[in-house]
Amino acid sequence: MTIISETEQHLAGGLSAKADRHLWGHFARHGEGITPTIITRGDGVHIWDSEGNKYIDGLSGLFVVQVGHGRAELAETAAKQAESLAFFPLWSFATPPAIELAERIAGYAPGDLNRVFFTTGGGEAVESAWKLAKQYFKLTGKPGKYKVISRSIAYHGTPQGALAITGIPAFKAPFDPPTPGGFRVPNTNFYRAPEQFSTDPKAFGRYCADRIAEAIEYEGPDTVAAVFLEPVQNAGGCFPPPPGYFERVREICDEYDVLLVSDEVICAYGRIGSMFACNDFGYTPDIITCAKGLTSGYSPIGAMIASDRLFEPFNDGSTVFGHGYTFGGHPVSAAVALANLDIFEREGINDHVKQNAPAFRATLEKLLDIPIVGDVRGEGFFYGIELVKDKATKETFNDEECERLLRGFLTPALFEAGLYCRADDRGDPVVQLAPPLICGQREFDAIYDILHNVLTEASARM
């Protein structure tokens, strides 16, 4: 713990009082005795709070800070761009940073995904993709295609449209009724696969993919516009795709004339090891949605990347995609994104992830010796650790036990031990990890040591 002065303590106390009175946190509980921890600075893979305590940022902020905290180059880029042009919208105009960034992103994307529509975040990118799918089919003579299929427990954002695609009932219930058209299929949690697939991940992948075809048939192929899938599903605890899964999904989408949307808000920009994770898993979608890591969090931006085929009906001189955001493609954010991608290329960030991912996996898999740890799964620098009551039967915890385990013990204990990560129960209880992409074995070992100590204590308590 860092010793701080009385003045600093006074300032921190003042901020806490202001936060308690005025700040409405996101996905946060509020009430007497609940005051948010105030994070004041970051450097590399570490963050500090207002009391001077230092933590490993084991979640990259929120799957965002790919190249680490405190990059002066990115802050300076923002300031320089703001001096020349702080803002102008892309509503029938363009700016040099947005043009250059669109070309850069298209160059990384697979196939003919050459059209980049900018947003300010991931939920907006998902919203944009659904709206594009619906209008595209109206323009091409299939006006009845408006429904979307996504996976159970999958998270795709909080705007009303994106929320309908999200597959977490508890997140949707307070805002019912949802936007019509969202339907769910099984996810790819191999740890909890039906018994007949428990030793055959490829067969399980085929089973999960075929449920998409089944859902399209049930709803009617003339009504389904798109399938939204994350390359590695986040909510539920990092479900990688089984072998052959996306190959089969692509076949199904082609067969039924349904668009395949790769929601890469988390997985893009190095999290799995490539600029786009669809490249890591060998499939070409019709649309990619992305955000978070594009600027490493130094300025907000998101994007929907669409194929030339989807853009074609809008390229006639009169048809308009009647959709947009004031700050989409903000020139400062676009300039920061270009500088961030320069760092990726100059420092070989993607190669670093690919080279170090096996060591990260091997380090985390040592946690399987702890009775409470049932599964360790993920790809790249993106992992989930599923916690179970009984490892032999895979019995999970009930709601009261999850509350006591995750929020009552793990969340504060991990943080007090010096690790910021996520203890989550959207689905079965997990601890999620996604450290900055500049991490190496030293950081992996430090993360492991904290997790091992805290999870061992949790195992004894439960």
Side-chain angles (χ1 to χ4, degrees):
M1 179 178 291
T2 302
I3 298 174
I4 60 175
S5 67
E6 290 185 8
T7 300
E8 290 171 318
Q9 289 176 347
H10 176 74
L11 291 173
L15 284 173
S16 293
K18 292 175 183 178
D20 287 345
R21 180 64 185 91
H22 298 290
L23 185 63
W24 197 331
H26 297 206
F27 289 99
R29 297 182 179 188
H30 296 83
E32 187 176 352
I34 301 175
T35 296
T37 300
I38 302 169
I39 303 301
T40 56
R41 69 184 182 96
D43 183 43
V45 303
H46 294 98
I47 53 174
W48 284 260
D49 66 19
S50 57
E51 296 183 355
N53 299 311
K54 179 181 178 182
Y55 310 89
I56 299 170
D57 183 357
L59 205 64
S60 299
L62 195 62
F63 315 103
V64 170
V65 190
Q66 315 295 61
V67 300
H69 298 274
R71 292 271 190 167
E73 174 182 347
L74 298 182
E76 291 164 1
T77 295
K80 183 177 180 181
Q81 176 59 44
E83 287 178 359
S84 60
L85 180 66
F87 174 74
F88 209 79
L90 299 183
W91 297 42
S92 299
F93 292 86
T95 65
I99 295 167
E100 295 294 340
L101 182 59
E103 181 189 41
R104 188 86 164 266
I105 290 172
Y108 296 134
D112 70 339
L113 276 76
N114 292 311
R115 292 289 178 167
V116 181
F117 183 94
F118 286 114
T119 67
T120 62
E124 291 177 358
V126 170
E127 196 90 356
S128 302
W130 192 1
K131 291 180 74 173
L132 172 60
K134 289 197 282 189
Q135 187 174 2
Y136 169 78
F137 282 118
K138 283 179 169 60
L139 293 172
T140 54
K142 297 183 178 181
K145 292 172 82 72
Y146 73 95
K147 298 175 183 176
V148 297
I149 292 170
S150 59
R151 294 182 291 204
S152 173
I153 317 177
Y155 177 84
H156 293 282
T158 55
Q160 280 294 117
L163 189 62
I165 302 172
T166 289
I168 306 172
F171 279 23
K172 299 150 72 77
F175 311 106
D176 280 342
T179 301
F183 298 90
R184 237 61 60 205
V185 294
N187 58 48
T188 60
N189 183 359
F190 184 62
Y191 180 65
R192 297 197 175 276
E195 188 175 351
Q196 66 265 37
F197 303 118
S198 61
T199 60
D200 192 342
K202 188 170 185 179
F204 177 59
R206 176 69 183 233
Y207 164 81
C208 292
D210 284 345
R211 301 291 72 74
I212 295 173
E214 187 179 82
I216 293 171
E217 287 282 1
Y218 182 83
E219 294 301 324
D222 58 343
T223 71
V224 179
V227 174
F228 281 70
L229 304 172
E230 295 169 279
V232 178
Q233 181 175 319
N234 172 39
C238 300
F239 305 146
Y245 174 78
F246 275 109
E247 180 182 1
R248 176 62 182 145
V249 172
R250 180 72 269 179
E251 290 174 355
I252 291 167
C253 290
D254 290 341
E255 178 182 353
Y256 291 104
D257 192 20
V258 169
L259 304 182
L260 174 55
V261 181
S262 189
D263 183 357
E264 306 206 14
V265 171
I266 287 176
C267 291
Y269 308 111
R271 182 55 55 191
I272 309 301
S274 296
M275 286 301 186
F276 294 111
C278 56
N279 290 328
D280 290 302
F281 298 116
Y283 67 97
T284 300
D286 300 290
I287 300 173
I288 295 173
T289 57
C290 61
K292 296 182 183 290
L294 180 52
T295 64
S296 285
Y298 284 73
S299 192
I301 198 167
M304 173 188 70
I305 312 159
S307 68
D308 288 334
R309 174 172 72 97
L310 299 186
F311 183 78
E312 188 59 32
F314 300 91
N315 201 28
D316 62 359
S318 60
T319 302
V320 172
F321 181 39
H323 178 63
Y325 300 99
T326 299
F327 296 113
H330 193 288
V332 172
S333 295
V336 172
L338 287 165
N340 181 57
L341 295 173
D342 286 343
I343 292 172
F344 263 79
E345 295 184 359
R346 185 174 69 241
E347 298 185 9
I349 298 294
N350 287 330
D351 287 341
H352 176 81
V353 171
K354 290 175 181 175
Q355 291 164 9
N356 286 272
F360 189 38
R361 177 191 293 272
T363 303
L364 294 178
E365 284 179 342
K366 294 189 294 182
L367 296 168
L368 289 167
D369 291 338
I370 301 171
I372 204 174
V373 176
D375 193 29
V376 174
R377 55 180 177 258
E379 296 287 342
F381 277 25
F382 185 31
Y383 270 82
I385 301 163
E386 183 168 336
L387 308 178
V388 293
K389 185 188 296 187
D390 187 312
K391 187 175 291 191
T393 65
K394 301 182 183 179
E395 180 185 0
T396 191
F397 297 95
N398 62 37
D399 290 346
E400 186 277 329
E401 289 167 333
C402 278
E403 178 73 18
R404 184 156 49 91
L405 171 64
L406 299 182
R407 296 175 188 85
F409 177 70
L410 279 181
T411 296
L414 288 168
F415 198 62
E416 288 170 10
L419 176 62
Y420 163 67
C421 57
R422 172 188 270 176
D424 191 19
D425 60 353
R426 295 176 298 174
D428 298 311
V430 296
V431 174
Q432 288 185 294
L433 295 161
L437 306 186
I438 57 175
C439 285
Q441 191 60 55
R442 181 172 62 179
E443 289 77 24
F444 302 158
D445 289 340
I447 290 170
Y448 167 80
D449 287 341
I450 293 172
L451 285 169
H452 184 271
N453 291 338
V454 174
L455 290 175
T456 297
E457 183 176 350
S459 186
R461 285 170 173 252
M462 299 303 293

